[in-house]
Amino acid sequence: MVDQPLLDRVEKQAWFHKYPRGWPFLLFIIASVTTAVSVMAIERADRETRRLALESSMTEVSSALQRRATETIALLRAGSALFATQEEVSQDQFAEFVGDMQHEGDLYGSLGIGWAPLVERKDLPAFEVAEAEAGRVDFLVHPRPEPDDELVAPIVYLRPASAANLRAIGFDMYSEEVRRAAMEKAMELARPIASGKVRLVQNSRGDDSAGFLIYMPVLVDTWGGKRVKGFIYSPFEASEFLDSASELFSSSRLEMAIYDEKVDPANLLAEHRVEGTDGPMLTRRLEVAGHHWVLQVRDKKGGLLSPLSRITLFFGAIASLMVMAIGRLITKRAAEDRRVLEWLRSQASIRDSLTRELNHRVKNTLANVLSIAALTRRRSKDIDDFTDSLTARIRALSATHDLLSQSDWGFAGLGDVVASELAPYMEGSESHVEMSGPDIKLAPNDAMSLGLAIHELATNAAKYGALSVGEGRVHVDWALISHDLATIRWREEGGPPVTEPVKRGFGRDLIEKIVAHELKSQVNLEFKPGGVECELKVPVRVSRDFVLRSQ
């Protein structure tokens, strides 16, 4: 027996089987979305971590830049003290001083340390003559001061004595606007001041690399108060200064840019580029030696995603595919189980139908047998006659049963039914019986009723009609008169003369009452002098069992 509650549950879960390929894909989408959300959360946390790290790095970079500037300012203050305490400082003394301050050549990112006295324009010729008398015959201030210029600040000393630095000797820094503004501010505040963006005279690259200078005024006491004797200064190439400062912090993923006063491409002092994907950026305003810079620091990473995100994405993709594959296996198995249960349900339905039909047929057969037995008893002369007649009629039913069993009780051919009932009278004398008609399939009940009718006609012909003599003939032909109705005509000839019997026999009652009732059609039975003729109609229908089994 099929578990009916199980079938009901399957019916309720029919929605699961409507989209057998959609469910694995839905599971894949859910797993993928979960992976994507996880990656987004990891990236958000990574960005926050990097932002906090960037703030720390910004502080570290700012401190490194200011530290380099402070270290240089310390050297300049020492040089200022040297020139403030001595009336004259020779070239050798200055070289020895710078050599002592260099710390094995480390000038903290600067190109050197120089001395530029502040000279009034009217005293410039005497100043140049004094330098020539001191042995520097090629010393010449350039560019020459304009008539309106009152002061000049030519570079007299610059150490170390590299080729680039030697090109700067004699250059009047007071003649250039940015340098002059820084020197005037240094004189006004009496402290070291950094200049804005300039192009250094000793630019060794031959390009427009930006530079800046830090000026330390040398103040001496006079009868009128403090007087600026000149400037100890240090020139810087901004990119080298930034590289020197980068030695003081550890992060190599930082992209940095320094701007003079404000962020503008024209004010770019130096930058350090790093390959990778742009990350968060911070901007901070710095004061370096009394001058303002804008520092931009951006974190760079090697790819679009962090390593943890890439690992999560990789394993998430594998997990999504595995979930989809498992879901596909589950839905496939569920679909197979459903098909099995549906097949069992259909088989149960067929079995129930077959059981009901079998009960119906058994009842009909038993009713036919009871009717035949009752009529045979009334018409029999003695017990032997009753036994022979009843046995013959039951055998007629059995013959039709055999035909139906061959087709698994699906149908019986009309011609086969007629032939099986007339078979005892055709052995060795087939010419006594002539049959013709198309192939027509009858339902089991109709075939059994027709078999009984043919049996009674054949029995009557054998006793009293055409089959009782050698010259007699029986003609049986049938035809379809519509798609659901066939007609059968029985005609005898060549037998003894026929007269209609006064008393109705069992065979006549069987044909005209029982068979007509079972076939639901009128039977036309005539006793003509030349032989018995009978015409009956049989419905052409397919049995319910046969339809179910074909499904």
Side-chain angles (χ1 to χ4, degrees), residues 104-133:
E104 300 180 354
D106 183 6
L107 292 173
Y108 309 114
S110 75
L111 299 180
I113 297 177
W115 161 247
L118 192 62
V119 181
E120 294 185 2
R121 179 178 178 276
K122 62 183 181 62
D123 297 332
L124 181 59
F127 177 76
E128 291 177 331
V129 170
E131 289 296 321
E133 289 176 352

Side-chain angles (χ1 to χ4, degrees), residues 314-523:
F314 174 75
F315 286 104
I318 293 178
S320 299
L321 293 175
M322 291 179 63
V323 167
M324 183 173 67
I326 293 172
R328 176 59 180 157
L329 291 176
I330 293 174
T331 54
K332 184 178 180 181
R333 180 61 182 272
E336 292 174 353
D337 292 343
R338 177 176 174 80
R339 285 194 294 270
V340 171
L341 290 174
E342 288 177 347
W343 181 83
L344 291 174
R345 166 176 269 186
S346 66
Q347 293 299 308
S349 177
I350 292 173
R351 184 202 62 200
D352 293 341
S353 298
L354 289 175
T355 301
R356 289 193 298 268
E357 183 63 24
L358 179 60
N359 291 334
H360 175 68
R361 287 177 182 171
V362 169
K363 290 180 180 179
N364 287 344
T365 301
L366 292 176
N368 288 337
V369 170
L370 291 174
S371 299
I372 292 170
L375 291 173
T376 302
R377 181 179 60 80
R378 286 195 223 102
R379 301 295 195 276
S380 299
K381 299 175 181 178
D382 52 34
I383 189 64
D384 293 334
D385 183 32
F386 170 76
T387 302
D388 293 341
S389 298
L390 183 60
T391 301
R393 287 167 182 138
I394 292 178
R395 283 177 179 171
L397 288 175
S398 177
T400 307
H401 270 266
D402 291 340
L403 287 176
L404 292 171
S405 297
Q406 293 175 8
S407 64
D408 201 15
W409 279 81
F411 63 88
L414 190 152
D416 294 336
V417 173
V418 175
S420 71
E421 297 298 336
L422 293 176
Y425 311 103
M426 295 172 60
E427 296 178 0
S429 57
E430 286 81 356
S431 60
H432 290 180
V433 179
E434 294 182 1
M435 297 182 298
S436 64
D439 183 18
I440 299 175
K441 294 180 175 60
L442 301 179
N445 289 344
D446 300 332
M448 292 179 63
S449 298
L450 177 63
L452 284 175
I454 298 298
H455 171 75
E456 292 301 325
L457 290 172
T459 301
N460 184 71
K463 287 182 177 181
Y464 313 108
L467 297 181
S468 65
V469 297
E471 296 81 10
R473 299 286 185 274
V474 174
H475 301 274
V476 184
D477 55 83
W478 60 88
L480 278 173
I481 59 176
S482 67
H483 71 282
D484 58 353
L485 191 63
T487 182
I488 303 172
R489 188 166 180 270
W490 173 285
R491 183 173 58 86
E492 300 179 19
E493 65 178 8
V498 176
T499 58
E500 184 172 353
V502 178
K503 184 180 179 181
R504 294 179 63 86
F506 170 75
R508 186 173 183 178
D509 286 342
L510 181 66
I511 294 173
E512 291 182 341
K513 294 181 179 180
I514 298 178
V515 172
H517 177 268
E518 290 293 328
L519 297 180
K520 295 180 175 59
S521 63
Q522 185 177 0
V523 177

Side-chain angles (χ1 to χ4, degrees), residues 82-242:
L82 174 66
F83 279 88
T85 56
Q86 295 189 29
E87 184 67 24
E88 293 291 337
V89 177
S90 67
Q91 184 173 351
D92 292 338
Q93 286 178 313
F94 185 76
E96 182 180 1
F97 167 76
V98 173
D100 292 339
M101 295 292 104
Q102 278 185 353
H103 298 288
E104 300 180 354
D106 183 6
L107 292 173
Y108 309 114
S110 75
L111 299 180
I113 297 177
W115 161 247
L118 192 62
V119 181
E120 294 185 2
R121 179 178 178 276
K122 62 183 181 62
D123 297 332
L124 181 59
F127 177 76
E128 291 177 331
V129 170
E131 289 296 321
E133 289 176 352
R136 306 178 69 183
V137 296
D138 56 348
F139 181 84
L140 184 65
V141 175
H142 62 278
R144 303 306 294 178
E146 298 292 333
D148 296 337
D149 294 338
E150 296 181 0
L151 298 173
V152 295
I155 299 173
V156 176
Y157 303 143
L158 185 56
R159 291 288 176 171
S162 63
N165 283 342
L166 291 177
R167 287 199 300 270
I169 298 300
F171 176 71
D172 178 17
M173 292 187 290
Y174 211 78
S175 65
E176 197 272 322
E177 181 180 0
V178 176
R179 292 175 173 86
R180 181 171 63 249
M183 287 187 285
E184 289 176 351
K185 185 176 181 180
M187 289 188 292
E188 178 185 356
L189 300 177
R191 63 185 179 87
I193 296 296
S195 72
K197 177 183 177 181
V198 298
R199 186 179 188 279
L200 299 177
V201 178
Q202 64 269 50
N203 188 340
S204 60
R205 302 180 184 180
D207 55 15
D208 293 330
S209 297
F212 67 95
L213 306 98
I214 297 179
Y215 293 99
M216 177 66 197
V218 178
L219 302 177
V220 295
D221 295 325
T222 63
W223 292 103
K226 295 288 185 180
R227 177 180 69 86
V228 178
K229 181 178 180 180
F231 298 91
I232 290 291
Y233 79 98
S234 183
F236 297 84
E237 279 193 353
S239 59
E240 292 187 7
F241 178 75
L242 180 59

Side-chain angles (χ1 to χ4, degrees), residues 279-292:
M281 182 181 69
L282 293 179
T283 301
R284 181 175 293 181
R285 191 173 180 83
L286 303 178
E287 182 178 347
V288 177
H291 189 77
H292 290 97

